[in-house]
C-alpha cells in the first residue's frame, strides 16, 4: 500500500475522502459551543451545566478511548469510521429535540461514542497508507478537514445557516442527517476498496516482521494478544510523555473552542462577530496543523516543534486575557494561540507510528491511550472555565489555567527531545 507514485496519489485521495468524517464530526460537535449562549437561555442551564455539556464529548473518551483504539486496530478503519459517523449523526438528530440538561447531555455523550471511532480510525488509516516518517502531511490533511468543520459552524453555521434554517434545532437536525448520509457512502467506498482487508494484511506482515516481540504470533489467543499489546502500550516511556502532552493540549483546545464565543459576548461583542472571531481562531489552528508538521518532518525535530507550539500558545492566550474587546491585540492573540495549539494536534498523532515497538500495527491503540487519559483534560477545560466563572464572575481565572497548558508542553517537549531520536 506504500508503493509507487500512482498508489501514493490514490492513498492521498482516500485520505481526503475519509477526512469528511472528521469535517462532519467537528461541525456536529461544535454546533453546541457555537449556540451555547442561546441554548443556556432556552434550556435554563447554569454555567457549570453548560461547561459539563461542552465537555461531554471529551468525557466519553476517558472510559472508551483505549478500547475503541483496540477495536479500530482489529476491525479496521473502513467499518470503524462508518459506524462512528452514523452514531454521531443519529446523536445530533437527538440533540435537536433535547428538552433540558439531562437529554442534551445524554445525546452529547453519544456523539462522543461515535467520535472515538473517527479520532482513532483516521490515524490508523494513515499509518497503513504511508511510511512512519511520512505521516505528518496526511495527518495534517484530515486535521485541516476537522478544522474546516469547526470553522464552518462558527463562521457560517451560527450567523448564516442557523437563522436561514430557523434556529439551532433545525441546524442540529440537518447536520445530523448529512452526517448519516456521508457515513453510509463511506461504508460503500471502504467495502469496494477492501480497506479493512488490506489493513489486516498489512498488520499481519508487520506482526511477522517483529518476530513476535510486540504482537505475538499466529498461535496466540486473541485475549493474550490484547494483553500483550496493552502491556506494551501502557509501559512505553515515550508514549507516556505524549499522554501528558495530549492531556494539556486537549484541555487547552476544548477549553478555548468551547467558551471563546461566550467569553467574547460577555465583553460586549455581537454574537455573529464572536462566532467569526472564533472562526479566525480555527483558521489559525489550521495554519498550525499544516506548517508545524512540515517543519518537524523536514528537520526531524518533532519534540522541538512541540516546545515551540507550547510557548506560542501560552503567549497567545496571555494576550487574549489582557486584551479588551475586538481590536488588533485581541485578534492577533487569537491567531497566535490558534497556530500554537493547532501545531500540537498532528504531532500527537504522527509521533506514535515512529516510536519503537508501536508502528502502524498499534497506532490505533497508542492514540487511544493518549486520548483515554488526555480527554480528562478535554473534559476539564470547558468545565473549569464554566465553574470558575460561576465562582468568581470572571472568565480570567479559566483562561489563565488554560494558558499554563502551553508551559507544560514546553517542559514535556524538552524531555521528549532528550529521549526520542
Amino acid at each position: 500500500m506504500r508503493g509507487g507514485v500512482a498508489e501514493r496519489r490514490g492513498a492521498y485521495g482516500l485520505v481526503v475522502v475519509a477526512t469528511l468524517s472528521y469535517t462532519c464530526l467537528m461541525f456536529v460537535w461544535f454546533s453546541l459551543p457555537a449556540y451555547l449562549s442561546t441554548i443556556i437561555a432556552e434550556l435554563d442551564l447554569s454555567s457549570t451545566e453548560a461547561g459539563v455539556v461542552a465537555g461531554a464529548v471529551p468525557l466519553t473518551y476517558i472510559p472508551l478511548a483505549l478500547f475503541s483504539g483496540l477495536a479500530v486496530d482489529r476491525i479496521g478503519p473502513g467499518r470503524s469510521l462508518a459506524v462512528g459517523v452514523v452514531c454521531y449523526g443519529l446523536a445530533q438528530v437527538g440533540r435537536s429535540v433535547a428538552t433540558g440538561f439531562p437529554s442534551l447531555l445524554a445525546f452529547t455523550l453519544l456523539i462522543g461514542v461515535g467520535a472515538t471511532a473517527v479520532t482513532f480510525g483516521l490515524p490508523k488509516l494513515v499509518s497503513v497508507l504511508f511510511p512512519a516518517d511520512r505521516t505528518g502531511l496526511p495527518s495534517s490533511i484530515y486535521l485541516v478537514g476537522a478544522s474546516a468543520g469547526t470553522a464552518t459552524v462558527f463562521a457560517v453555521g451560527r450567523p448564516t445557516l442557523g437563522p436561514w434554517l430557523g434556529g439551532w434545532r433545525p441546524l442540529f437536525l440537518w447536520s445530523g442527517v448529512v452526517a448519516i448520509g456521508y457515513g453510509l457512502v463511506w461504508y460503500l467506498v471502504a467495502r469496494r476498496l477492501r480497506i479493512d482487508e488490506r489493513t489486516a494484511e498489512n498488520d499481519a506482515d508487520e506482526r511477522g516482521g517483529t518476530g513476535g516481540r510486540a504482537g505475538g504470533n499466529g498461535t496466540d489467543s486473541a485475549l493474550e494478544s490484547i494483553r500483550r499489546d496493552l502491556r506494551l502500550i501502557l509501559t512505553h516511556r515515550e508514549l507516556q510523555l505524549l499522554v501528558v502532552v495530549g492531556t494539556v493540549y486537549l484541555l487547552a483546545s476544548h477549553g478555548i473552542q468551547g467558551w471563546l464565543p461566550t467569553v467574547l459576548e460577555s465583553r460586549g461583542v455581537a454574537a455573529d462577530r464572536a462566532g467569526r472571531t472564533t472562526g479566525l481562531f480555527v483558521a489559525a489552528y489550521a495554519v498550525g496543523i499544516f506548517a508545524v508538521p512540515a517543519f518537524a518532518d523536514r528537520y526531524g525535530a518533532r519534540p522541538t516543534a512541540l516546545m515551540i507550539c507550547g510557548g506560542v500558545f501560552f503567549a497567545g492566550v496571555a494576550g487574549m486575557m489582557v486584551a479588551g474587546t475586538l481590536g488588533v491585540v485581541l485578534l492577533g492573540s487569537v491567531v497566535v494561540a490558534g497556530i500554537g495549539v493547532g501545531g500540537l494536534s498532528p504531532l500527537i498523532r504522527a509521533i506514535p507510528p515512529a516510536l519503537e515497538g508501536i508502528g502502524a500495527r498499534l497506532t490505533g491503540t497508542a492514540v487511544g491511550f493518549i486520548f483515554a487519559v488526555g480527554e480528562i483534560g478535554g473534559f476539564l477545560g470547558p468545565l473549569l472555565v464554566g465553574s470558575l466563572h460561576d465562582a468568581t464572575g470572571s472568565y480570567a481565572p479559566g483562561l489563565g489555567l488554560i494558558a499554563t497548558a502551553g508551559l507544560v508542553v514546553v517542559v514535556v517537549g524538552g524531555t521528549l527531545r532528550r529521549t526520542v531520536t
Side-chain angles (χ1 to χ4, degrees):
M1 297 180 72
R2 304 172 183 174
V5 174
E7 192 171 7
R8 187 64 53 79
R9 289 175 178 171
Y12 275 110
L14 190 57
V15 170
V16 170
V17 175
T19 291
L20 292 176
S21 65
Y22 227 158
T23 304
C24 291
L25 170 62
M26 301 311 278
F27 188 99
V28 166
W29 182 336
F30 286 98
S31 59
L32 181 111
Y35 266 100
L36 189 56
S37 59
T38 301
I39 294 172
I40 288 173
E42 183 171 329
L43 301 185
D44 193 26
L45 305 179
S46 69
S47 292
T48 299
E49 287 176 332
V52 170
V53 175
V57 173
L59 182 64
T60 62
Y61 280 71
I62 299 170
L64 295 181
L66 185 56
F67 300 102
S68 181
L70 282 166
V72 167
D73 277 335
R74 283 158 174 77
I75 296 172
R79 284 170 291 183
S80 298
L81 288 173
V83 171
V85 172
V86 171
C87 181
Y88 72 66
L90 290 171
Q92 179 74 336
V93 172
R95 286 207 302 190
S96 71
V97 295
T99 57
F101 174 70
S103 57
L104 184 64
L105 176 62
F107 285 120
T108 304
L109 289 170
L110 185 57
I111 287 175
V113 174
T116 62
V118 176
T119 301
F120 314 132
L122 285 167
K124 176 67 175 181
L125 180 66
V126 166
S127 72
V128 172
L129 295 175
F130 299 89
D133 61 349
R134 291 292 181 268
T135 57
L137 179 57
S139 296
S140 296
I141 290 174
Y142 68 71
L143 290 170
V144 167
S147 297
T150 310
T152 300
V153 75
F154 282 123
V156 180
R158 170 66 190 268
T160 304
L161 285 179
W164 180 66
L165 290 171
W168 67 274
R169 292 185 186 275
L171 179 71
F172 282 27
L173 170 64
W174 286 108
S175 58
V177 170
V178 169
I180 294 169
Y182 166 77
L184 297 176
V185 170
W186 166 256
Y187 174 75
L188 295 177
V189 171
R191 184 175 179 180
R192 180 177 180 82
L193 296 180
R194 300 181 64 251
I195 291 174
D196 293 332
E197 290 82 357
R198 294 161 65 190
T199 298
E201 293 168 1
N202 180 86
D203 288 352
D205 291 342
E206 188 171 288
R207 184 180 297 109
T210 65
R213 178 176 61 83
N217 52 57
T219 63
D220 286 334
S221 68
L223 182 58
E224 180 58 30
S225 174
I226 291 173
R227 287 175 176 171
R228 181 179 289 107
D229 291 346
L230 283 175
R231 191 180 305 117
L232 172 64
I233 292 295
L234 296 175
T235 60
H236 200 289
R237 170 62 173 166
E238 289 78 18
L239 195 59
Q240 291 170 346
L241 292 172
L242 277 179
V243 167
V244 176
V245 175
T247 301
V248 294
Y249 153 72
L250 290 164
L251 182 148
S253 177
H254 294 314
I256 290 291
Q257 293 185 80
W259 279 100
L260 184 56
T262 305
V263 170
L264 294 176
E265 288 179 41
S266 73
R267 298 181 181 182
V269 178
D272 58 344
R273 297 188 69 188
R276 291 191 178 96
T277 303
T278 306
L280 178 64
F281 173 85
V282 178
Y285 187 104
V287 171
I289 286 174
F290 258 126
V292 173
F295 163 82
D297 287 355
R298 180 174 182 179
Y299 295 103
R302 285 173 173 173
T304 300
L306 284 174
M307 297 174 65
I308 294 172
C309 287
V312 168
F313 176 74
F314 172 79
V317 178
M320 291 166 59
M321 292 176 62
V322 301
T325 56
L326 286 180
V328 174
V329 175
L330 178 59
L331 293 177
S333 298
V334 166
V335 170
V336 169
I339 292 174
V341 75
L344 295 175
S345 183
L347 292 175
I348 292 169
R349 293 163 171 86
I351 291 176
L355 295 177
E356 183 179 359
I358 303 299
R361 189 181 69 84
L362 291 177
T363 292
T365 309
V367 177
F369 177 39
I370 293 172
F371 278 82
V373 180
E375 286 293 6
I376 295 174
F379 170 68
L380 288 177
L383 174 62
L384 289 173
V385 173
S387 59
L388 286 172
H389 179 264
D390 274 345
T392 67
S394 172
Y395 290 109
L399 290 176
L401 181 66
I402 288 173
T404 62
L407 299 180
V408 175
V409 173
V410 173
V411 173
V412 178
T415 305
L416 271 171
R417 189 169 63 175
R418 294 190 294 270
T419 59
V420 178
T421 58

